[in-house]
């Protein structure tokens, strides 16, 4: 792995060759050169969370392909805007032939830099699927995992009130809360999911305060779409059941974590690197869920009764098989308006979701 210091010390020429064909690859009679792959992260890596999962994917890719085939560089705690632009540009100038921008906030910076380096393949995580010939977009159908987590919460809650700490009111966050609520109300038709916003991507103090406020309102299970492990720490300290998100937090909440939803990027990163090596990489919009392996459910706690485990795992299998869709059938919003009369919601509607389903309590910032 190339260090951040080595990357920023000097700026070299961009790798040669057409998009997807790198110098040293697929050229008979020449020694193969490692594919240089760059990663830009919005936060520090830490021990759990979204950036941690992206970095785990990078490490899995390295193990899958080997040092002789791939060399990676990662830059962490990179702010959006000009800072991200400069980081992406530096990676391209250093000869990285494949670059992963791992935050939705990097979309515009990625598009701008990609136009300057048409021979480099860029992969943009999350956000709107904006494609140009050398930019792909990728995201996970995390709402599928959220639905299954909601089923777990519905089976385990005694109060019928769940606390949900959310970061920013973006469509991905909203669809996740809605999917969780739909899964929750399968077994608790009158159940309520109480939402508190932090309005930042990552702030441990705000996340902890929001979780405590939800506990004060009588919730008996906590879950989150937030950037730190603060809620896991609070749940363990308070003896409150907890469903994790982004990654496994059992090392922080060993007795209180019931289960969770995890991003898994190792397979995707490996396949995209192999595609560049083989000269078959092309711009695409990847949106994969449980079936594709981009979303995984964490092992259930021994505290979850066997019959509940059976119900939860059955719903997971149904989603993987395509026989269960979280946003299928009649869907009413918080005010009772019909948002979908029948059928299965289209991706275009999922990706711009801006309303609550019935059962969600709390304001939706506009």
């Amino acid at each position: 792995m190339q260090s951040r210091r080595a990357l920023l010390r000097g700026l070299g020429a961009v790798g040669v060759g057409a998009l997807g064909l790198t110098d040293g690859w697929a050229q008979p009679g020449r020694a193969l050169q490692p594919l240089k792959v760059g990663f830009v992260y919005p936060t520090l890596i830490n021990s759990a969370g979204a950036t941690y999962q992206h970095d785990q994917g990078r490490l899995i890719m390295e193990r899958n392909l080997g040092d002789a085939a791939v060399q990676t560089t990662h830059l962490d705690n990179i702010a959006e805007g000009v800072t991200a632009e400069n980081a992406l540009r530096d990676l391209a100038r250093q000869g990285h032939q494949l670059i992963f921008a791992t935050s939705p906030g990097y979309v515009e910076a990625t598009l701008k830099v990609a136009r300057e380096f048409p021979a480099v393949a860029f992969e943009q995580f999350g956000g709107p699927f904006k494609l140009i010939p050398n930019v792909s977009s990728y995201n996970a159908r995390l709402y599928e995992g959220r639905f299954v987590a909601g089923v777990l919460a519905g089976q385990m809650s005694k109060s019928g009130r769940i606390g949900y700490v959310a970061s920013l009111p973006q469509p991905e966050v909203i669809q996740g809360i809605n999917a969780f609520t739909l899964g929750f109300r399968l077994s608790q038709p009158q159940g309520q999911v109480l939402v508190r916003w932090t309005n930042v991507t990552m702030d441990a103090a705000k996340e902890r305060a929001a979780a405590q406020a939800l506990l004060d309102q009588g919730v008996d299970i906590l879950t989150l779409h937030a950037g730190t492990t603060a809620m896991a720490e609070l749940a363990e300290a308070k003896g409150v059941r907890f469903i994790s998100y982004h990654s496994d937090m059992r090392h922080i909440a060993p007795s209180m974590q019931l289960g969770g939803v995890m991003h898994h990027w190792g397979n995707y990163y490996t396949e995209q690197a192999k595609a560049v090596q083989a000269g078959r990489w092309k711009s695409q919009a990847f949106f994969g869920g449980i079936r594709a392996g981009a979303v995984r459910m964490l092992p259930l706690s021994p505290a979850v009764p066997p019959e509940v485990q059976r119900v939860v795992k059955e719903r997971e299998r149904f989603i993987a098989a395509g026989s269960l869709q979280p946003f299928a059938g009649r869907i009413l919003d918080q005010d009772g308006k019909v948002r979908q009369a029948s059928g299965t919601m289209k991706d275009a509607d999922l990706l711009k979701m801006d309303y609550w389903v019935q059962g969600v309590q709390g304001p939706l910032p506009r």
Side-chain angles (χ1 to χ4, degrees):
M1 180 192 75
Q2 187 178 1
S3 70
R4 178 186 180 122
R5 180 178 297 173
L7 172 68
L8 298 177
R9 190 163 47 226
L11 301 179
V14 66
V16 301
L19 178 62
L21 295 176
T22 61
D23 188 28
W25 288 100
Q27 295 188 34
R30 293 192 59 185
L32 296 179
Q33 300 297 317
L35 177 73
K36 296 182 71 174
V37 184
F39 291 80
V40 181
Y41 301 146
T43 68
L44 297 172
I45 295 171
N46 296 317
S47 64
T51 291
Y52 175 81
Q53 290 307 127
H54 285 293
D55 198 58
Q56 288 296 297
R58 177 184 67 85
L59 295 173
I60 290 169
M61 180 191 71
E62 286 186 338
R63 291 196 295 270
N64 286 345
L65 299 180
D67 292 342
V70 67
Q71 174 188 341
T72 72
T73 303
H74 67 276
L75 305 178
D76 60 358
N77 208 26
I78 302 299
E80 298 172 7
V82 174
T83 303
E85 220 178 275
N86 290 338
L88 292 163
R89 189 175 289 113
D90 288 347
L91 287 168
R93 286 173 174 163
Q94 283 286 319
H96 292 79
Q97 300 104 323
L98 174 61
I99 299 173
F100 291 95
T102 67
S103 169
Y106 295 159
V107 171
E108 296 307 321
T110 301
L111 291 169
K112 181 176 180 179
V113 175
R115 291 187 177 99
E116 299 172 16
F117 298 90
V120 178
F122 290 82
E123 294 269 348
Q124 170 63 52
F125 170 72
F129 288 157
K130 294 185 177 181
L131 306 179
I132 60 177
N134 64 324
V135 175
S136 277
S137 289
Y138 67 104
N139 206 342
R141 295 183 184 275
L142 292 159
Y143 65 87
E144 293 182 351
R146 295 295 204 179
F147 181 88
V148 177
V151 172
L152 171 61
Q155 292 284 316
M156 296 296 292
S157 175
K158 293 183 172 62
S159 71
R161 292 165 66 83
I162 305 298
Y164 204 124
V165 173
S167 56
L168 297 167
Q170 299 167 336
E172 179 183 301
V173 181
I174 295 166
Q175 71 185 223
I177 295 170
N178 283 340
F180 182 95
T181 303
L182 293 172
F184 176 60
R185 282 165 70 99
L186 286 180
S187 54
Q188 303 235 17
Q190 302 305 314
Q192 302 295 317
V193 175
L194 284 66
V195 178
R196 284 275 180 154
W197 297 97
T198 64
N199 292 309
V200 293
T201 301
M202 186 175 185
D203 188 311
K206 289 183 178 181
E207 292 165 26
R208 188 177 295 109
Q212 183 59 60
L214 289 165
L215 291 177
D216 293 343
Q217 291 181 267
V219 305
D220 62 354
I221 295 176
L222 290 169
T223 191
L224 75 161
H225 189 132
T228 78
T229 59
M231 184 184 290
E233 295 164 4
L234 180 67
E236 188 71 14
K238 297 282 187 179
V240 177
R241 288 170 166 173
F242 167 72
I243 297 174
S244 72
Y245 178 63
H246 288 314
S247 53
D248 197 341
M249 299 185 188
R250 279 178 295 179
H251 61 294
I252 296 165
S255 60
M256 290 296 106
Q257 180 173 296
L258 294 173
V261 184
M262 184 178 76
H263 304 220
H264 183 83
W265 294 115
N267 293 343
Y268 183 79
Y269 289 161
T270 299
E271 290 306 310
Q272 296 312 101
K274 288 166 65 176
V276 171
Q277 291 169 354
R280 55 179 172 79
W281 185 95
K282 62 181 180 179
S283 176
Q284 64 168 354
F286 174 84
F287 198 20
I290 291 175
R291 184 173 187 173
V295 179
R296 294 187 180 181
M297 305 306 299
L298 294 172
L300 296 172
S301 164
V304 179
E307 63 273 18
V308 174
Q309 295 204 27
R310 180 187 60 77
V311 170
V312 173
K313 291 176 180 177
E314 183 180 64
R315 295 301 188 279
E316 181 183 358
R317 286 196 302 272
F318 288 165
I319 290 176
S323 58
L324 173 61
Q325 299 288 341
F327 292 103
R330 183 178 170 86
I331 295 176
L332 303 178
D333 69 15
Q334 194 178 49
D335 300 320
K337 179 181 177 181
V338 177
R339 293 289 184 155
Q340 178 174 275
S342 61
T344 300
M345 193 168 293
K346 297 177 180 178
D347 286 349
D349 295 322
L350 285 170
L351 293 170
K352 62 181 182 182
M353 188 170 281
D354 62 354
Y355 59 88
W356 288 141
V357 299
Q358 285 193 331
V360 182
Q361 298 295 308
L364 180 54
R366 300 295 181 181

